[in-house]
Amino acid sequence: MLLQPKSIGELTLKSVDPFDYPSIKTNQFSNEEDLNDLVSIIHLFEEFISTKSMQSIGADLNISKGSFCSQHEFKSDEFWRCMLRHISITFCHTTSSCRMGHTGNKFAVVDLDLKVQGLDNLRVVDASVFPSVTTGNTNVPTIAVAEKAADMIRFDKIDKT
Ligand SMILES: Cc1cc2nc3c(=O)[nH]c(=O)nc-3n(C[C@H](O)[C@H](O)[C@H](O)COP(=O)(O)OP(=O)(O)OC[C@H]3O[C@@H](n4cnc5c(N)ncnc54)[C@H](O)[C@@H]3O)c2cc1C
């Protein structure tokens, strides 16, 4: 698993109709470094399974020679790159399509109070506001954002009364 991918996806509106589906481009592997990092991880894994202990239990990569990508030398970097492009998937941690940031940051949709910049009375409170994807799981950070937002909304109300 690549926990901090450098490739960044893109989520845009297709039209002004709020019921129209958005356009989602994952842009997977648009940054070559992500592929390089994963190939390095595979090499590390190859080293690991070639250790005496792992060999003693018959550990091997469960990958067949005759599969697709056979135009490349088996287990070469090019072979792994090809495999990665074919079989890798994004995991269930999609975040940051509506990221939080200081006012004026052109990549920030919401400000530090989770208010949509340029609009009144609209907050976004979910995993989309993470500035970037967390290395660990995303559920607890989402709950933390929600707890913080609940406090901010409560204090806002107290301020106004
Ligand atoms: C298969 C899978 C497994 C996962 N496993 C883990 C795990 O083990 N641990 C972990 O930490 N994280 C896990 N995650 C990630 C975690 O679930 C998400 O990061 C988290 O739920 C994000 O919360 P959210 O509030 O941003 O979005 P969501 O939880 O998706 O909430 C969005 C809500 O909006 C509602 N909604 C959508 N459209 C509308 C609409 N038009 N009007 C009104 N309501 C609407 C939806 O019904 C939904 O209730 C997993 C995710 C998936 C998909």
Side-chain angles (χ1 to χ4, degrees), residues 113-115 123 125 143-161:
D113 290 328
L114 305 177
K115 289 178 179 163
R123 277 189 163 101
V125 182
I143 294 169
V145 168
E147 289 285 349
K148 175 75 179 155
D151 285 346
M152 288 191 297
I153 292 165
R154 212 166 28 224
F155 287 128
D156 260 8
K157 279 195 177 144
I158 292 168
D159 267 0
K160 281 175 191 153
T161 50

Side-chain angles (χ1 to χ4, degrees), residues 98-117:
C98 193
R99 69 168 69 158
M100 174 201 311
H102 289 281
T103 314
N105 175 342
K106 67 175 181 165
F107 293 111
V109 175
V110 296
D111 65 16
L112 302 185
D113 290 328
L114 305 177
K115 289 178 179 163
V116 177
Q117 301 204 38

Side-chain angles (χ1 to χ4, degrees), residues 91-105:
F91 194 57
C92 309
H93 288 181
T94 316
T95 68
S96 317
S97 53
C98 193
R99 69 168 69 158
M100 174 201 311
H102 289 281
T103 314
N105 175 342

Side-chain angles (χ1 to χ4, degrees), residues 4 16 28 42 53 56 106 116 120 133 151:
Q4 294 288 327
V16 292
Q28 219 171 323
I42 291 170
S53 333
S56 71
K106 67 175 181 165
V116 177
D120 292 327
V133 65
D151 285 346

